[in-house]
Amino acid sequence: MAADVDQTIPEDERNISPQKGNQSPATGSWICRGIWTLLLIGAVPLLAFGIKYYQDAQLHKRHEESIRTLGAEGLFLFSSLDTDHDLYLSPEEFKPIAEKLTGITPPVDFEEDVAHDPNGETLTLEAQMQPLLMDSMTKSKDGFLGVSHSSLSGLRSWKGPAVPASSFSASQFRAFLPPKNKDEVGDTWWVIPSELNIFTGYLPNNRYHPPSPKGKEVLIHSLLSMFHPRPFIKSRFAPQGAIACIRASNDFYYDIVFRIHAEFQLNDVPDFPFWFTPGKFIGNIVLSKDASHVRHFHLYVPNDRSLNVDMEWLYGASESSNMEVDIGYLPQLELQAMGPSTPSIIMDEEGNIIDSQDGNSEPIQFIFEDIHWTLEISEEEATRRLEVTLYPFKKVSYLPFSEAFERAAAENKLVHSILLWGALDDQSC
């Protein structure tokens, strides 16, 4: 019977079986692990490629959906916010829109107002002006045909500065001092930062009176008000604001060059607005690092170009009204300190007044030592740094024709010629 069969395997057969195929279990396991390792190594790039392909497909799909939903212009605006280009807006990316819609903006980095010392030093600024040359305007070529007399009334009547001379406290010029992280020669910073961006566009044209200045705007507004009673510290178009650069320094003083973009509203009701926009205001100030003393101040509109002022005027009371545009030449618009700032009283070491000046006495006479700079750069280099900060394209050298061809020949390069009506690097074009 089957149950009685001896199922014992002979010893010689048991000894032969493990040797079948000359392969041990350890060897087989090693081969399997190697195959799996190779498969995994090969699968990783395939998986990465698959994920990348899927992401690109999804991104392309969202891009197509965005085009259909927003259109090309809408997608351009959306993309300007989408800094990581994933076609989704994070709360941080949406922040500019929220500020625009709510009108709530982050606090501007203005220094707190500093109380002026009534016994501190003062200086007197003198304003000089030569009115615009009317025959430099394009409209003058046809005798201003089609231009109403009322449109140019403010321009024609502006013959000189509104305030020929004015006194300022030296401490007011603290507005030009650099922030703590911009105290090296050659550093640039915004005195009045620009508030224009892709969402604000440009500021309204239909305005007559400037908004109340705040912070550092107060000094700039006071200075430009010496020329005309209605200066707008923030121009309607870019570039906007004021920027400065340390040209030289020593232990006690800075020489700071600056550039301001502002404009004037020359007309008042019932005439329609007339905007007068100099290409730029530039200048420099030498002042102590604690703003207790101003040695020198100069501000002016450059007159070294044939055209240096842009003019725009409305023919209606709304933003959609027709606007005329012209350009012209202003020979002089300038502010200059009549001398260094001086104290109104002189005290001894114990605080006793030993001399003073008032309206009925002779001015106190002072002798000022020359300032010797420890570190400095040229005025041209400081001006260039301001320009590059305002206009990144200025990193490329723009040369007059004669110099351009000489440079091109020396460097074996081609010449790219640009023809402009006015200048590309100010507001007179």
Side-chain angles (χ1 to χ4, degrees):
M1 295 179 66
D4 298 329
V5 176
D6 186 2
Q7 298 180 2
T8 305
I9 302 174
E11 185 176 352
D12 56 344
E13 293 183 14
R14 290 199 302 267
N15 292 337
I16 293 173
S17 296
Q19 304 299 323
K20 191 175 183 178
N22 295 322
Q23 183 177 10
S24 68
T27 302
S29 177
W30 180 85
I31 292 174
C32 289
R33 285 198 300 269
I35 292 173
W36 278 110
T37 301
L38 290 174
L39 288 174
L40 287 174
I41 291 174
V44 168
L46 290 175
L47 180 63
F49 176 79
I51 294 174
K52 182 67 167 59
Y53 178 82
Y54 175 78
Q55 291 176 337
D56 290 345
Q58 291 297 309
L59 192 63
H60 179 74
K61 181 180 177 181
R62 290 200 298 269
H63 184 272
E64 294 297 323
E65 292 174 350
S66 301
I67 286 286
R68 289 195 299 270
T69 304
L70 301 174
E73 293 184 359
L75 182 60
F76 172 78
L77 294 176
F78 182 92
S79 300
S80 67
L81 290 172
D82 184 23
T83 55
D84 57 6
H85 308 295
D86 63 352
L87 288 177
Y88 287 105
L89 291 186
S90 66
E92 185 64 27
E93 291 172 329
F94 185 73
K95 186 178 177 182
I97 288 290
E99 293 173 355
K100 177 65 176 175
L101 295 177
T102 62
I104 301 174
T105 57
V108 182
D109 188 21
F110 284 134
E111 295 180 5
E112 295 182 0
D113 292 336
V114 178
H116 301 306
D117 181 3
N119 297 323
E121 296 188 7
T122 60
L123 71 159
T124 300
L125 300 185
E126 182 181 33
Q128 294 182 319
M129 174 186 173
Q130 297 179 45
L132 184 96
L133 300 182
M134 299 297 292
D135 59 4
S136 67
M137 296 176 64
T138 304
K139 298 291 189 295
S140 69
K141 304 301 185 291
D142 57 8
F144 295 98
L145 183 65
V147 180
S148 66
H149 180 76
S150 61
S151 297
L152 303 181
S153 60
L155 177 63
R156 295 183 187 276
S157 62
W158 191 25
K159 300 296 185 183
V163 182
S166 183
S167 180
F168 290 82
S169 166
S171 60
Q172 288 180 265
F173 292 87
R174 180 182 298 274
F176 285 106
L177 287 177
K180 293 180 180 179
N181 61 336
K182 297 287 186 178
D183 57 357
E184 300 292 333
V185 169
D187 282 346
T188 61
W189 69 95
W190 288 94
V191 179
I192 299 176
S194 173
E195 294 182 353
L196 296 179
N197 55 50
I198 192 172
F199 302 107
T200 60
Y202 59 86
L203 299 181
N205 294 308
N206 189 26
R207 294 179 295 163
Y208 292 96
H209 300 284
S212 299
K214 58 183 180 180
K216 296 179 181 180
E217 298 172 8
V218 174
L219 173 64
I220 307 300
H221 184 274
S222 299
L223 295 173
L224 299 186
S225 292
M226 294 181 65
F227 297 129
H228 192 276
R230 289 188 296 279
F232 281 72
I233 304 308
K234 292 192 170 126
S235 54
R236 293 162 299 146
F237 303 96
Q240 184 192 72
I243 192 171
C245 174
I246 300 176
R247 192 203 69 80
S249 72
N250 60 22
D251 290 341
F252 304 103
Y253 289 94
Y254 287 123
D255 183 356
I256 294 171
V257 299
F258 56 85
R259 175 167 172 163
I260 300 170
H261 285 273
E263 54 191 345
F264 301 97
Q265 177 52 247
L266 302 191
N267 281 354
D268 205 346
V269 289
D271 298 327
F272 295 128
F274 185 104
W275 293 95
F276 187 92
T277 310
K280 59 189 171 185
F281 295 88
I282 61 174
N284 80 300
I285 180 172
V286 178
L287 78 167
S288 62
K289 292 186 174 181
D290 62 358
S292 62
H293 177 68
V294 175
R295 181 62 63 90
H296 169 82
F297 181 83
H298 187 206
L299 177 151
Y300 63 100
V301 173
N303 60 3
D304 57 340
R305 290 173 170 168
S306 58
L307 300 167
N308 60 356
V309 176
D310 176 80
M311 291 160 283
E312 299 174 351
W313 59 96
L314 296 177
Y315 279 121
S318 69
E319 283 298 307
S320 60
S321 301
N322 291 333
M323 174 179 283
E324 288 280 1
V325 179
D326 209 333
I327 197 167
Y329 179 72
L330 182 70
Q332 184 182 32
L333 196 63
E334 184 174 12
L335 284 180
Q336 192 151 9
M338 299 178 68
S341 64
T342 57
S344 57
I345 60 174
I346 299 177
M347 295 184 292
D348 60 20
E349 296 179 352
E350 298 178 355
N352 300 314
I353 298 176
I354 59 177
D355 198 356
S356 65
Q357 63 181 10
D358 53 41
N360 300 321
S361 62
E362 291 291 328
I364 303 174
Q365 300 297 319
F366 293 91
I367 298 176
F368 297 96
E369 296 181 352
D370 292 336
I371 297 176
H372 300 283
W373 301 113
T374 305
L375 296 170
E376 62 181 310
I377 58 177
S378 67
E379 185 174 347
E380 292 75 15
E381 173 60 18
T383 300
R384 187 194 69 82
R385 296 191 182 201
L386 293 180
E387 291 177 346
V388 169
T389 303
L390 284 168
Y391 305 99
F393 70 81
K394 294 286 284 187
K395 293 177 182 178
V396 177
S397 298
Y398 284 72
L399 304 172
F401 271 110
S402 58
E403 297 179 29
F405 285 109
E406 291 176 1
R407 176 81 67 86
E411 299 182 6
N412 194 27
K413 294 181 178 179
L414 299 177
V415 174
H416 181 66
S417 178
I418 300 176
L419 181 63
L420 299 171
W421 183 45
L424 189 61
D425 58 352
D426 63 27
Q427 289 177 312
S428 63
C429 63

